[in-house]
């Protein structure tokens, strides 16, 4: 999710997903978000955050790390 989406921002989208599945895995991306906002979402279980602009390899590595942590956790 992008923190700056127009209809529903990333925080709102993440909260809706958590309502449906408390164990949901989600990555939020932004070029403008505040560190405090991201920290709060991490405390609520956010799987990852990636700052824009990013390379495909960075996103791929983040997804792999999340999957691997899920398997070992």
């Amino acid at each position: 999710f992008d923190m700056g989406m127009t209809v529903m921002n990333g925080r709102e989208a993440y909260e809706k997903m958590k309502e449906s599945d408390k164990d949901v895995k989600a990555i939020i991306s932004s070029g403008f978000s505040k560190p405090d906002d991201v920290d709060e979402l991490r405390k609520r279980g956010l799987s990852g955050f990636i700052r824009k602009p990013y390379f495909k390899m960075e996103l791929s590595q983040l997804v792999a790390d999340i999957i691997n942590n899920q398997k070992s956790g």
Side-chain angles (χ1 to χ4, degrees):
F1 296 103
D2 189 316
M3 288 293 280
M5 295 185 301
T6 56
V7 175
M8 180 184 299
N9 68 34
R11 172 187 296 276
E12 294 166 336
Y14 180 68
E15 294 298 332
K16 288 285 187 187
M17 290 174 58
K18 289 288 283 186
E19 288 175 15
S20 296
D21 179 358
K22 67 179 178 70
D23 297 321
V24 69
K25 302 296 181 212
I27 297 171
I28 291 182
S29 174
S30 179
F32 304 104
S33 66
K34 300 174 198 165
D36 289 344
D37 291 340
V38 175
D39 289 342
E40 183 180 327
L41 289 172
R42 285 184 196 273
K43 289 176 188 172
R44 294 197 29 77
L46 179 67
S47 301
F49 174 80
I50 191 166
R51 182 162 301 283
K52 288 182 178 181
Y54 56 84
F55 294 99
K56 287 187 248 180
M57 186 54 112
E58 292 172 296
L59 179 59
S60 296
Q61 185 62 57
L62 179 57
V63 170
D65 290 346
I66 291 167
I67 290 170
N68 289 331
N69 285 336
Q70 182 177 354
K71 288 180 182 176
S72 64

